[in-house]
Amino acid sequence: MENLIFAFNAVAPSFSIVLLGFLLKRMGILTDDFIAKGNALCFKVLFPLLVFFNLYDAVRIDFTYIKIILFCIGVILVSVIILTPLVPKFVKERRKVGVMIQCMYRGNFMLYGLPFSKSLGGEPSVALATSIMAATLPILNTLGVFVYSAFADMEEGPSAKKACINALKNPIIWGVIFGLVFYFLKLPMPGFLHTAGNDVAKIATPLAFLFLGGQFELRSARRNLKELAIGLTTKLVILPIIFLWVAVQVFQIVGIDLIPVFIFLSAPTAITNYQMAIQFDADYELAGDFLIYSMVFSAFTLFFFIYALRAMGLI
């Protein structure tokens, strides 16, 4: 019961902000124009700042965890390689394909990784979670740009050149690049600038959830029922079970080392998927529904995995 309560408490705050955004839109406080400009602010300024300070302020990025880091990178690459040709066979609308692929393989490790790791495994798990985040975040954001840009053009086929250009235009990528440069070179930052930047970065996630709630409509969930059923089952159940089996049986990852890996595999979809869907004119309604319902159902799936892994003595 304690684990269930913890999982619920991890999801409930974000879901409450989404609900508030939904209510504010119905009350006329959030307008369509305000939401559109707010989403642009989140994608172009706030999320790059959030990524930058997450890396810049990392206490320790320890790449001695090389086996586990390589496993997580392998999970990303294998998932994209499998899902990219597979999803278009079941989803015919091009604007939905990139959303489905991105939402199925990318979880919100940036939001869930550190608190869950600290609660379940203490500081050693937090150190490993930080290292995984630093190693995978650039790959996740770069691949996300490539996946979305590959399916963004409705008239032309995927273009590697266009994908590369879009990758370099993506503000989040530059947040990752500058964050790693400042971290590894130990570049100093004036105290006032660090405080101001951190304060601004902290509003990125709640503000994005608020705007998401303002755009949420129940009829879109009904319209996307098939895609949501396939995507949520794949993201929250099928892929975690497969990759957890590989982690334990093949890579022998157990104990406190398995905790951040488990969260990396099982966390609900990342809010940046929704922001990128807007940026690339993909089906942002599907991305928003996927984000909301993955948060809701992850409270139950995370509890199931925590209970099962503990019962088997793996964590």
Side-chain angles (χ1 to χ4, degrees):
M1 181 59 68
E2 182 182 347
N3 292 328
L4 177 60
I5 293 173
F6 176 78
F8 174 79
N9 286 336
V11 174
S14 299
F15 187 73
S16 299
I17 297 173
V18 171
L19 179 60
L20 176 62
F22 178 82
L23 295 175
L24 291 176
K25 175 65 182 300
R26 295 304 176 274
M27 294 167 60
I29 297 175
L30 287 181
T31 64
D32 290 334
D33 183 61
F34 185 23
I35 292 172
K37 291 178 179 177
N39 280 322
L41 173 67
C42 288
F43 184 82
K44 295 179 180 179
V45 179
L46 299 183
F47 274 102
L49 280 175
L50 180 63
V51 170
F52 171 83
F53 281 104
N54 272 335
L55 294 173
Y56 181 78
D57 291 332
V59 176
R60 182 161 64 104
I61 300 177
D62 190 349
F63 288 99
T64 59
Y65 300 114
I66 189 67
K67 179 179 75 170
I68 299 173
I69 290 172
L70 288 177
F71 170 77
C72 293
I73 292 174
V75 166
I76 298 169
L77 298 178
V78 169
S79 298
V80 173
I81 290 171
I82 293 174
L83 293 172
T84 300
L86 188 62
V87 171
K89 296 183 183 297
F90 300 95
V91 180
K92 301 304 180 184
E93 189 176 337
R94 194 173 180 83
R95 291 179 70 245
K96 295 179 184 289
V97 174
V99 172
M100 290 287 289
I101 296 171
Q102 183 78 349
C103 288
M104 283 194 284
Y105 81 84
R106 181 172 185 175
N108 203 343
F109 189 69
M110 200 162 64
L111 220 60
Y112 287 77
L114 298 183
F116 267 81
S117 294
K118 185 173 184 179
S119 175
L120 297 173
E123 290 303 322
S125 286
V126 172
L128 176 53
T130 302
S131 302
I132 292 173
M133 183 180 70
T136 59
L137 198 56
I139 297 171
L140 285 167
N141 282 301
T142 303
L143 278 178
V145 173
F146 274 77
V147 168
Y148 270 121
S149 61
F151 295 98
D153 193 338
M154 299 296 290
E155 298 179 357
E156 302 176 13
S159 168
K161 179 181 178 181
K162 194 172 293 185
C164 289
I165 294 173
N166 283 330
L168 293 175
K169 289 180 179 178
N170 187 290
I172 296 176
I173 295 297
W174 290 103
V176 172
I177 293 172
F178 282 114
L180 290 174
V181 168
F182 271 69
Y183 176 86
F184 284 115
L185 296 181
K186 306 299 181 185
L187 297 178
M189 181 181 296
F192 76 92
L193 196 58
H194 183 272
T195 301
N198 247 321
D199 287 344
V200 173
K202 287 175 183 176
I203 71 174
T205 299
L207 198 61
F209 277 127
L210 195 70
F211 293 139
L212 172 60
Q215 293 184 290
F216 178 65
E217 295 183 11
L218 290 174
R219 65 174 180 270
S220 67
R222 290 194 293 268
R223 186 167 60 247
N224 295 319
L225 189 59
K226 182 185 78 171
E227 290 84 359
L228 285 171
I230 294 172
L232 290 172
T233 303
T234 302
K235 174 71 189 79
L236 299 177
V237 180
I238 296 175
L239 290 181
I241 288 176
I242 292 173
F243 287 123
L244 277 172
W245 184 89
V246 174
V248 173
Q249 297 298 325
V250 178
F251 288 83
Q252 302 296 307
I253 302 173
V254 294
I256 59 174
D257 288 348
L258 184 61
I259 292 171
V261 172
F262 142 68
I263 302 164
F264 181 79
L265 298 172
S266 308
T269 193
I271 193 170
T272 49
N273 296 341
Y274 170 71
Q275 293 292 327
M276 292 177 75
I278 295 173
Q279 178 72 14
F280 286 98
D281 193 30
D283 192 332
Y284 63 84
E285 285 189 349
L286 174 60
D289 290 339
F290 206 112
L291 175 61
I292 292 172
Y293 290 110
S294 69
M295 283 195 301
V296 173
F297 290 115
S298 69
F300 302 98
T301 56
L302 285 170
F303 167 74
F304 167 78
F305 282 117
I306 292 171
Y307 177 83
L309 291 173
R310 283 191 168 177
M312 291 186 287
L314 297 174
I315 60 173

